[in-house]
Every structure is written in C-alpha cells, then in structure tokens.
Amino acid sequence: MKSPHLSWATQLGLAFGFILLITGCGGSDAATPPAASIGDPGANALSGDAPTMTTEMSISELQQSDFRGEEFPEVVLTTTMGKIRLRLDAKKAPATVDNFLTNYVATKHYDGTIFHYVHADRMVLGGLFDSNMSPRDVRSEIQNEATNGLKNKRGTIAMSRDPNFIHSSTCQFFINCADNEAFDHIGNDDSSSYGYCVFGEVIDGMEVADAISQVEVETNDGFANLPRQPVQILSAERVK
C-alpha cells in the first residue's frame, strides 16, 4: 500500500532494502565485485557459501565477446498476464546482460518467480521470490554498469540493488513504466547518486507491464505494494 507520507521512490528504496535484508544480499563498496561471476549452477548464495568462480571477465573482455554473435539478444518473459519481449544491450551493459542471461535465464531461475513490488504507472519489480514468497538462490553480486549512459526511461529494464551499496545487484530486475530519472546515474560519489543499471528495453508487450503495474496491491508480512493476486513469470526464454 502506498504511504501518504513517503514518496514512491522512497518506498521503493525501502522495499529494496527490506528484500535484501531478509535474503542476505548486499555488500560493501570497499571491495568491488568482479564485472561478471559465473559459478557452479548448484551454488547456494543464500546459504552463505560463496559460489565457485569458474569465469571472471572484465568489462572490456565482455565487450569483445559476441554473446553467440548477438550484441542485442532478446528474451521473452511469459507471465500470467501476457508476454513481454525484451531486447538487451550487451554492447553497453555487457556484464549485466551476461549475468542476466547466463546466471538466471539459462538456468530457469526466473521461471515461477513473481513480481513482488509494483507501483501504478511507475514500475514493476521481480526476479527473486516464488508465489510462496520463498527466495530463490542467487549468484555473486555484479559490477554496477549504471555509468553506461542508458537512462531509466519508460520501457527500459534495469537491475535493482541494495540502495546502500553500489555493486550489489544479483537477480532482481525492474521494468520502468515511466521516466524514472531518480534512478539514473548522476555521479560516482556515493550510492544514492550512482544509479541503477539499465541493460535493455521492452520491444513488445509494454501494455502487459503497464497492466501488471496497476494490479491491486497490499502490504503483507513487510512486503509493500505486493500484488494481492500473484503475477507470475511462467518462463523467461532467450529467443535471439
């Protein structure tokens, strides 16, 4: 539920913080995580065991990789309210796209998860919890590429993170249903100015994202703006 005393951006920051608090995500900016960390598919980051690093690539190395010959891979999210087709930007956000595709789409992580925070005509957030509100296993935190010049414009997809730590994204993502300038990179001084990394855009099905943002919500067990009826991602499939 929307609090009359808090802006929607403040509520969203609190939602991120709460989600990361209960799942043990987040970290310190003192030690910058690798640009991409692709570990053992069976690694359980929630248990406190660090994933086995089998590949660590710098952003420059990822920019030279071809993502199987495609700088703009596409993913279809099939939800209980329709399909959303995404075009990812592996040229401007190579580490983020690699993380999204390799660590989460390819492993079917998103299949069965829900959008657990929505704000009418503003954004929809998902990627961590299933319909029982149980969190999925996550991999290592990745480098925040919010300095790539991409803005949180309507129709873009971005990575969420702990608002207190710059480099703390794992699996959670949000689709902007409006121009959300408050999430853009404006400086390198601290976490509040660093921004949230945009790594693609919706090219079909934006009406589905809009509809998800407008479903009836409630506050339940500390989760604000939680859809009363779960909106589930049935599958996330790379199609190009």
Side-chain angles (χ1 to χ4, degrees), residues 115-166:
F115 289 97
H116 55 269
Y117 180 94
V118 305
H119 193 288
D121 300 318
R122 283 292 186 177
M123 54 86 70
V124 297
L125 165 69
L128 178 61
F129 297 96
D130 64 22
S131 58
N132 295 317
M133 302 311 296
S134 297
R136 295 283 175 87
D137 292 357
V138 300
R139 301 296 182 85
S140 295
E141 299 160 348
I142 63 169
Q143 186 85 13
N144 186 342
E145 297 176 301
T147 59
N148 62 13
L150 299 177
K151 304 297 185 182
N152 282 272
K153 298 288 189 181
R154 171 175 163 78
T156 58
I157 180 172
M159 293 302 293
S160 72
R161 61 176 174 84
D162 185 327
N164 296 312
F165 301 108
I166 294 171

Side-chain angles (χ1 to χ4, degrees), residues 7-226:
S7 70
W8 71 268
T10 300
Q11 292 179 64
L12 179 57
L14 292 173
F16 286 165
F18 173 79
I19 289 163
L20 289 159
L21 175 64
I22 66 172
T23 59
C25 300
S28 171
D29 294 334
T32 301
S37 52
I38 304 170
D40 178 2
N44 183 349
L46 292 177
S47 70
D49 296 325
T52 301
M53 301 296 182
T54 57
T55 302
E56 291 187 9
M57 302 175 69
S58 68
I59 290 178
S60 61
E61 288 172 327
L62 281 166
Q63 287 171 334
Q64 295 170 15
S65 69
D66 64 2
F67 288 86
R68 290 186 287 173
E70 180 56 64
E71 286 186 333
F72 300 98
E74 296 180 11
V75 170
V76 171
L77 304 179
T78 300
T79 79
T80 48
M81 294 183 65
K83 293 186 177 183
I84 303 171
R85 190 179 184 111
L86 306 169
R87 178 186 290 131
L88 310 181
D89 194 333
K91 186 174 182 179
K92 290 191 174 181
T96 308
V97 171
D98 178 56
N99 174 66
F100 185 78
L101 291 177
T102 306
N103 287 341
Y104 299 110
V105 172
T107 61
K108 306 298 183 183
H109 167 96
Y110 292 124
D111 297 8
T113 60
I114 63 169
F115 289 97
H116 55 269
Y117 180 94
V118 305
H119 193 288
D121 300 318
R122 283 292 186 177
M123 54 86 70
V124 297
L125 165 69
L128 178 61
F129 297 96
D130 64 22
S131 58
N132 295 317
M133 302 311 296
S134 297
R136 295 283 175 87
D137 292 357
V138 300
R139 301 296 182 85
S140 295
E141 299 160 348
I142 63 169
Q143 186 85 13
N144 186 342
E145 297 176 301
T147 59
N148 62 13
L150 299 177
K151 304 297 185 182
N152 282 272
K153 298 288 189 181
R154 171 175 163 78
T156 58
I157 180 172
M159 293 302 293
S160 72
R161 61 176 174 84
D162 185 327
N164 296 312
F165 301 108
I166 294 171
H167 305 293
S168 57
S169 295
T170 54
C171 63
Q172 293 184 75
F173 64 89
F174 59 95
I175 295 173
N176 288 294
C177 297
D179 292 348
N180 290 317
E181 294 180 2
F183 298 148
D184 290 342
H185 175 269
I186 58 173
N188 299 327
D189 294 339
D190 54 42
S191 184
S192 62
S193 63
Y194 205 89
Y196 294 78
C197 176
V198 172
F199 64 101
E201 63 183 341
V202 175
I203 58 173
D204 191 27
M206 191 60 203
E207 70 280 1
V208 176
D210 287 335
I212 294 171
S213 80
Q214 297 172 29
V215 299
E216 187 176 0
V217 298
E218 63 182 357
T219 295
N220 189 349
D221 291 332
F223 287 86
N225 287 54
L226 176 71

